[in-house]
Amino acid sequence: MSDRRAVLAALLSLAALPALAAGDGPKDGSKVEPVTLPFAIKAMRGPGSDVALSVATSGLLPVARAPAGASADPKATGATAPPPVVVVWGEGGGAVLSLDGDRLRTTLIGAEAIEGIAAVETPRGAVPSSRRALDGPLSAYLTGPTRALGGAPGQGTVLTLRERQPLGVTAEPKAVPVTTQTLAPGNDRVFAGRTPRITRLDGRPAVVAVTAQGAAGSGLALAAKGKDGVWTLAAQTPPQAGKATDKGSDGAPLALAGIADFTGAGQPQIAAIRAPDGEGVLQLWRFADGTLSLAGEGPGYAGPAAGEEADLAAPVLRGSAPPDLALPVAGRSALALVSLKGGSPEERTRIPLPAPAAHGIAVLDAGGTARKILVGLADGRLVAVPVP
């Protein structure tokens, strides 16, 4: 981890350019504010992602400088939490966005840094072009690339979990010990080409992944760490059929939209989208007594298609209140803020976008309250939406 950060820091130190302030927003009162960038974006990563955490803890970029003693754990709180940043990039370079009060602050990074930034997402041995999830000492990613069961590229036969172990005080340099465990979803399933998500249940880490069963069926799998330190697949859902597209192809697998305590019950729930590349259905899943159960669902939302890397949803923190979920409506022409407090989706507001959402949706917060929602559009623009 430290070596990886050192490489990234060196790249950023060579490529960092003067800060470019975001625009003051349109004068017509529109809720959508353009973010001025000298390149068209093609990729976007939000707070908590591997790329954003690496930049936030690099200690070089002024907007991303971590406080003394900052943790690489995205769920750390208070003075030890890394500052939330969003990283975007395209052929002409990249940029890091953070909050300066209620305003966006943007720092450009040169094109030569982009390759090094993106490379940290796919660890050695992972499914090619896949991304890992990172939470402090724990990382989770797919290995064993396969197209078994008629599936698409990006699938893996195994979920790999790696945890750095504490290293006692020593006068001699020693390698950090790492434990590795692997989990398979069963003989009739593989892991779909979706990035795993890390959360916590009862104070212990847990990982949520998407499974595939045949070309059109997909479900959720929850890996949990027991008190003995052993990981097991604690629960799986039955496969759900995706909706076929107009071109006659099989539907995309379930897309993970977010994991948070959306209901205020004191335990995280899983938001997912079935048939994300069609008339997607937003679902909320609960885990209790060793079982994943569907709490509620509602149609009319969009997620990433099969093979699409964009994160098209993000929790919107509301301080002490349960968070909302920001995601595009079907067709991606508008951004919806949805409450899941009652289990079933309840749309709070819908904000039209100047072009379809495509490269990502990310939320910047201050003190646990969301301030700005960033949306990467299909035409390469980046826009910011003040949280209503």
Side-chain angles (χ1 to χ4, degrees):
M1 182 74 174
S2 59
D3 291 343
R4 181 167 60 83
R5 286 188 196 150
V7 171
L8 178 60
L11 288 166
L12 293 176
S13 65
L14 291 172
L17 298 177
L20 175 68
D24 292 330
K27 305 301 182 182
D28 60 0
S30 172
K31 291 183 178 180
V32 177
E33 306 168 352
V35 179
T36 303
L37 294 172
F39 58 88
I41 70 170
K42 292 189 174 181
M44 177 175 174
R45 302 291 184 260
S49 66
D50 203 335
V51 166
L53 286 170
S54 296
V55 173
T57 55
S58 67
L60 287 177
L61 293 177
V63 299
R65 191 178 303 280
S71 169
D73 182 354
K75 297 176 178 60
T77 58
T80 63
V85 299
V86 175
V87 183
V88 297
W89 65 89
E91 291 183 359
V96 183
L97 299 105
S98 67
L99 287 176
D100 184 2
D102 286 334
R103 290 173 55 85
L104 280 177
R105 190 177 179 188
T106 307
T107 290
L108 299 179
I109 45 182
E112 62 269 30
I114 300 306
E115 183 178 351
I117 291 175
V120 306
E121 295 184 302
T122 307
R124 183 177 301 175
V127 171
S129 301
S130 66
R131 295 162 52 191
R132 70 174 171 183
L134 184 66
D135 182 355
L138 174 64
S139 62
Y141 52 93
L142 304 183
T143 54
T146 179
R147 293 197 184 189
L149 306 177
Q155 291 184 161
T157 58
V158 170
L159 174 66
T160 295
L161 306 160
R162 288 174 58 85
E163 292 182 275
R164 301 192 315 274
Q165 302 301 309
L167 182 63
V169 178
T170 174
E172 298 295 331
K174 291 184 178 181
V176 176
V178 176
T179 61
T180 301
Q181 296 187 50
T182 58
L183 298 173
N187 293 332
D188 60 342
R189 301 187 188 190
V190 296
F191 287 105
R194 302 294 196 191
T195 303
R197 303 285 184 98
I198 299 176
T199 185
R200 279 183 168 79
L201 293 173
D202 300 323
R204 292 190 296 275
V207 176
V208 179
V210 177
T211 60
Q213 186 176 31
S218 61
L220 298 176
L222 176 70
K225 185 179 181 180
K227 295 180 179 179
D228 57 359
V230 176
W231 287 88
T232 59
L233 279 182
Q236 294 193 62
T237 66
Q240 301 182 78
K243 180 180 178 181
T245 65
D246 293 338
K247 296 180 180 180
S249 60
D250 295 314
L254 285 170
L256 292 172
I259 302 177
D261 185 6
F262 292 110
T263 67
Q267 190 88 304
Q269 300 89 42
I270 305 165
I273 304 175
R274 180 172 60 84
D277 53 352
E279 292 293 324
V281 177
L282 176 60
Q283 301 181 325
L284 186 70
W285 292 85
R286 291 190 176 110
F287 176 74
D289 300 322
T291 302
L292 284 165
S293 60
L294 184 62
E297 61 181 5
Y301 301 98
E308 191 175 9
E309 296 182 358
D311 295 318
L312 289 177
V316 180
L317 301 181
R318 298 284 188 180
S320 59
D324 294 335
L325 184 69
L327 75 167
V329 301
R332 304 190 186 185
S333 61
L335 178 73
L337 265 66
V338 178
S339 170
L340 295 163
K341 185 176 180 179
S344 296
E346 180 180 342
E347 196 166 305
R348 292 184 181 273
T349 187
R350 182 174 289 202
I351 303 164
L353 297 171
H359 298 297
I361 292 174
V363 178
L364 288 171
D365 73 276
T369 299
R371 303 295 187 192
K372 297 281 188 181
I373 304 172
L374 298 175
V375 185
L377 303 179
D379 60 9
R381 287 180 290 168
L382 180 69
V383 296
V385 179
V387 178

